[in-house]
Amino acid sequence: MKNEQTQIPTIDSLGEWKRTDNCGTLRQHHVDRDVILMGWVNRRRDLGNLIFIDLRDREGITQVVFDPQVNAATHEKAHVLRNEWVLAVKGTVVPRLEGRENRDLPTGEIEIKVEEVKILNLTETPPFQVDGAVDASESLRLKYRYLELRRPQIFENFRKRHAIASFIRAYLDERGFMEVETPILTKSTPEGARDYLVPSRINRGMFYALPQSPQLFKQLLMVAGFDRYYQVVRCFRDEDLRADRQPEFTQVDLEMAFVDEKAVMDIFEGMMGALFTRIMDTKIESPIPHLTYQDAMNRFGTDRPDLRFAMELVNITDIADQSDFKVFKGVVATGGMVKAICVKNAAANYSRKMLDEISLVATANGAKGLAWIKIAADKWQSPVAKFFNDETKLALNGRLDAVPGDLILMVADQPAIANAALSALRLEMAQREELIKEGEHAFVWVTDFPLLEYDDAAGRFVAVHHPFTAPVEEDLELLLEHPGKVRARAYDLVLNGSEIGGGSIRIHNASIQETVFEALGISPEEARSKFGFLIDALKHGAPPHGGMALGFDRLVAIMAGVNSIREIIAFPKTTSGTCPLTVAPSPVDPKQLKELGLSINL
RNA sequence: GGGGACGUAGUUCAGUUCUGGUUAGAACGCUGGCCUGUCACGCCGGAGGUCGCGAGUUCGAUUCUCGUCGUCCCCGCCA
């Protein structure tokens, strides 16, 4: 008898059994119903003569009971069941005994009195507990991703992702947008991110590129008269990864003919409002506030400001210049600026050691250091206090609205660095001071971007958005003389300090497009070979058009309340671009390389 | 390409660090037994470790040194 128990149990076939209900729906009013449930063993509680199993599927958990008085053979069989085994149980819904209900479970008023059980599959000892309180390391969870995804709280992220995608599709369908698929094997283009390349076997030595976005194809669809296009589409960029960046990611890509900026922005603004009402049951601020790029940089030091809290950057260059602090004066003399933030009522909370830690945030972003002032009742407590006289102290306090108890952080550097450092400090201090309320969602449009900016590394101007973005009409004449002064008809949608979307009105005039290429330092020959098909298309009746792309993964991550987009991508890659589950990328057979005419040269 | 943190049982960690020493611990999981109302069931017993990998120093390295690999966060990069 004992031997029989230690044998590996046989796996039963499903046979004629049909699932009647899932594990999340049965309630008091289903009592006496004969049911067949199927799912995984979440937990077992073997009391000897009475065995409880929590059976789990994606809809929930139902307790099933094996009682020798119901069926002795079935009860005997149930002793060997283990966590994560796959079961089918046939039985009857019965009410739980008085006082034995489980209030934590939606199905907690009932249980299943099992008459028969089928073991549909066994399992090896799981590498981590699906129903465990402690998390395994992320690489282990990625290697056994199918177990991680079995966890209810993880699964709910994907239910939400699906609901958001469905809603967006319906919203756009109702407004006349057509989903059109565009090529995944396409042409490598200069500008922008590094391409993923795919060698061609039929055309040896030639390469396709995976699209960084369907940008050019959607413009061609506008030329074709499709009028309103959208696509939930995978995009690929061969750049280093981050918590909010994967090499392949999903965009809601959209393009409209015969429109201006407002028409495109209205579509997205309406979509976000309806989406947050439906999925999050919250109203977003309406209309969504606008900031110009200049205002965003001046007030927040970044083009994607987090508006969930204030603590704006304040320019104190003129006051700093009147101090005797050589570092400040030196920076001002070389065209730099001094900016500051005032952390309200924080002076007492930060020791010298903590301020040293905080200054690392500034130096990590390129600043040479951080100057701080603790405002006391009638004096400054600060390493730089001695460089300021009473007048300049008063002026600075006044400029920053600083009152006793406040902490002032200052950075002096070239504008790009001062802004970057203080922008990072602003986020750091908001986190430390817990200024960001749970569940808050602050949208903002950022507009009036420059069309081009000078790239020191490349030694030329590059497109801030992309090379197909239309310049503001009255700035057109500046294009070749003062490229940096031309404004773009571009707009970004920012949510909680994260850029979740961006778009522009496109160039639909071939000669303007050629001029922009010229301003970018792209020769007519190169423009012809790389973008000839676009120029040709623009010459064949391109309508005015514009559009936008939404970073779907980032949006879902924010709506799901998770910190990394890996949490809402079913099979994501690690920060070094590998997949622990499939072990990709991997070497390939030399035969495959030969067919492609490739050889490896490391 | 650069900076930081981490790597010890199946898992999450402690310890070993400054002070190298022969049996490296806990919890959960796994496993054998007992148990008729559990729901993080309980009780008694058991198994389970190249201390990421390599080299060096040393009589002796999980511990010290150097290198390397992996994971995560950040800068650069990402139109």
Side-chain angles (χ1 to χ4, degrees):
Chain A
M1 284 303 235
K2 283 237 162 109
N3 274 344
E4 230 165 330
Q5 274 190 28
T6 54
Q7 273 177 5
I8 296 167
T10 53
I11 294 175
D12 302 313
S13 88
L14 192 53
E16 292 296 303
W17 285 28
K18 302 268 187 292
R19 182 163 61 169
T20 62
D21 297 274
N22 64 54
C23 296
T25 49
L26 295 172
R27 297 288 185 276
Q28 189 75 45
H29 63 270
H30 295 107
V31 162
D32 291 337
R33 181 201 286 239
D34 292 324
V35 297
I36 295 178
L37 300 185
M38 301 186 191
W40 287 260
V41 175
N42 191 58
R43 274 182 186 277
R44 70 192 174 97
R45 292 176 293 280
D46 186 343
L47 275 56
N49 265 327
L50 202 54
I51 301 168
F52 298 94
I53 298 276
D54 290 335
L55 197 65
R56 179 191 65 235
D57 66 15
R58 71 175 209 191
E59 304 301 336
I61 287 175
T62 298
Q63 174 166 286
V64 304
V65 190
F66 296 87
D67 186 336
Q69 289 172 4
V70 174
N71 185 321
T74 297
H75 172 263
E76 186 61 29
K77 188 174 177 180
H79 276 304
V80 302
L81 302 177
R82 292 295 181 267
N83 286 348
E84 301 309 319
W85 285 21
V86 190
L87 305 184
V89 298
K90 183 186 277 184
T92 311
V93 180
V94 296
R96 297 245 187 139
L97 299 181
E98 187 82 27
R100 302 291 180 184
E101 302 90 349
N102 186 343
R103 303 290 172 207
D104 298 331
L105 230 48
T107 61
E109 292 197 332
I110 57 95
E111 62 194 12
I112 310 300
K113 189 172 68 180
V114 180
E115 276 122 38
E116 205 178 334
V117 61
K118 287 191 173 191
I119 297 171
L120 301 179
N121 220 336
L122 314 177
T123 179
E124 293 184 356
T125 300
F128 53 83
Q129 286 166 259
V130 171
D131 185 45
V134 283
D135 249 355
S137 72
E138 190 167 359
S139 55
L140 196 74
R141 288 185 285 132
L142 288 180
K143 180 173 178 184
Y144 298 94
R145 187 65 166 167
Y146 39 86
L147 295 182
E148 168 86 343
L149 297 174
R150 208 179 272 171
R151 293 176 155 167
Q153 64 273 33
I154 305 292
F155 175 76
E156 287 311 315
N157 289 343
F158 290 88
R159 201 196 288 277
K160 181 169 268 179
R161 184 180 174 117
H162 167 71
I164 295 168
S166 296
F167 181 87
I168 288 175
R169 283 198 163 96
Y171 185 90
L172 293 174
D173 291 346
E174 282 167 21
R175 283 157 184 79
F177 289 86
M178 275 172 60
E179 183 155 21
V180 182
E181 289 157 281
T182 51
I184 294 295
L185 296 176
T186 180
K187 183 181 173 71
S188 180
T189 54
E191 305 292 306
R194 197 174 291 115
D195 284 323
Y196 276 100
L197 296 177
V198 179
S200 168
R201 176 184 57 81
I202 298 169
N203 304 280
R204 280 199 180 191
M206 310 276 207
F207 292 84
Y208 302 97
L210 304 182
Q212 295 175 28
S213 84
Q215 179 61 36
L216 293 173
F217 289 106
K218 68 177 177 178
Q219 290 191 238
L220 298 179
L221 290 173
M222 293 302 102
V223 178
F226 274 42
D227 207 289
R228 289 185 164 204
Y229 143 94
Y230 85 97
Q231 187 177 188
V232 179
V233 62
R234 199 68 60 85
C235 302
F236 307 86
R237 292 176 192 176
D238 186 6
E239 297 292 348
D240 288 1
L241 287 77
R242 287 280 198 288
D244 63 351
R245 270 196 239 154
Q246 284 273 304
E248 48 181 315
F249 59 98
T250 303
Q251 285 189 344
V252 177
D253 191 48
L254 175 153
E255 198 77 4
M256 307 164 76
F258 308 113
V259 292
D260 61 4
E261 293 88 327
K262 186 170 186 307
V264 180
M265 293 159 86
D266 281 351
I267 288 286
F268 273 89
E269 190 153 339
M271 182 199 293
M272 288 302 118
L275 182 64
F276 273 68
T277 300
R278 170 75 68 84
I279 306 287
M280 309 294 286
D281 198 23
T282 57
K283 290 230 180 315
I284 67 169
E285 187 180 355
S286 179
I288 293 173
H290 286 225
L291 274 176
T292 65
Y293 172 83
Q294 261 322 313
D295 282 344
M297 294 306 290
N298 291 343
R299 292 170 54 191
F300 303 98
T302 173
D303 60 2
R304 49 182 179 90
D306 190 336
L307 297 193
R308 286 176 296 178
F309 60 98
M311 208 198 294
E312 293 188 15
L313 277 54
V314 177
N315 193 325
I316 56 165
T317 306
D318 53 330
I319 299 172
D321 196 31
Q322 283 162 36
S323 74
D324 299 319
F325 190 25
K326 279 185 189 149
V327 172
F328 281 5
K329 292 180 79 78
V331 166
V332 176
T334 56
M337 55 165 54
V338 186
K339 286 179 102 169
I341 53 174
C342 178
V343 191
K344 302 309 281 179
N345 204 26
N349 305 342
Y350 293 90
S351 64
R352 185 64 182 258
K353 191 179 167 193
M354 289 162 85
L355 287 163
D356 284 346
E357 263 174 47
I358 289 164
S359 76
L360 291 178
V361 174
T363 51
N365 285 276
K368 287 170 198 72
L370 174 69
W372 52 265
I373 306 163
K374 291 180 178 179
I375 309 291
D378 51 359
K379 62 164 191 163
W380 282 8
Q381 190 191 334
S382 166
V384 300
K386 57 179 175 286
F387 301 119
F388 288 78
N389 61 31
D390 287 350
E391 195 186 336
T392 47
K393 279 181 185 171
L394 215 60
L396 197 68
N397 286 355
R399 179 78 58 87
L400 284 155
D401 280 328
V403 298
D406 291 352
L407 172 69
I408 293 174
L409 304 179
M410 300 176 287
V411 173
D413 216 304
Q414 295 306 304
I417 289 173
N419 279 328
L422 271 170
S423 170
L425 286 166
R426 178 175 173 268
L427 294 178
E428 174 76 19
M429 297 314 290
Q431 233 170 43
R432 286 174 180 262
E433 291 294 299
E434 295 175 0
L435 299 182
I436 298 170
K437 275 175 251 144
E438 187 90 9
E440 199 167 341
H441 300 286
F443 281 92
V444 58
W445 287 108
V446 180
T447 62
D448 293 276
F449 282 84
L451 186 72
L452 310 169
E453 67 185 350
Y454 193 77
D455 182 337
D456 289 323
R460 64 179 179 88
F461 279 90
V462 298
V464 169
H465 191 56
H466 59 53
F468 321 108
T469 298
V472 169
E473 261 177 68
E474 58 259 38
D475 295 351
L476 261 176
E477 55 200 24
L478 300 168
L479 205 46
L480 295 179
E481 298 297 314
H482 303 287
K485 290 188 177 171
V486 179
R487 286 167 297 163
R489 296 182 68 182
Y491 33 85
D492 274 1
L493 183 59
V494 174
L495 169 57
N496 295 354
S498 186
E499 184 203 325
I500 61 160
S504 63
I505 298 303
R506 326 297 184 187
I507 299 166
H508 70 284
N509 173 314
S511 76
I512 294 177
Q513 185 65 69
E514 283 165 335
T515 308
V516 168
F517 285 145
E518 188 184 344
L520 288 169
I522 299 173
S523 70
E525 295 74 33
E526 190 182 1
R528 172 55 39 194
S529 82
K530 303 291 189 188
F531 300 113
F533 64 97
L534 174 70
I535 305 272
D536 287 346
L538 296 182
K539 288 175 177 167
H540 282 92
H545 63 285
M548 183 160 159
L550 184 72
F552 187 67
D553 305 289
R554 287 181 186 176
L555 176 68
V556 175
I558 291 170
M559 292 178 78
V562 299
N563 287 324
S564 164
I565 63 172
R566 289 190 299 270
E567 304 287 323
I568 49 88
I569 293 172
F571 301 101
K573 306 222 170 9
T574 68
T575 45
S576 58
T578 63
C579 171
L581 196 161
T582 59
V583 194
S586 59
V588 295
D589 194 292
K591 267 188 273 179
Q592 290 175 283
L593 290 177
K594 199 170 178 227
E595 275 188 322
L596 295 164
L598 297 179
S599 66
I600 302 294
N601 179 19
L602 289 177

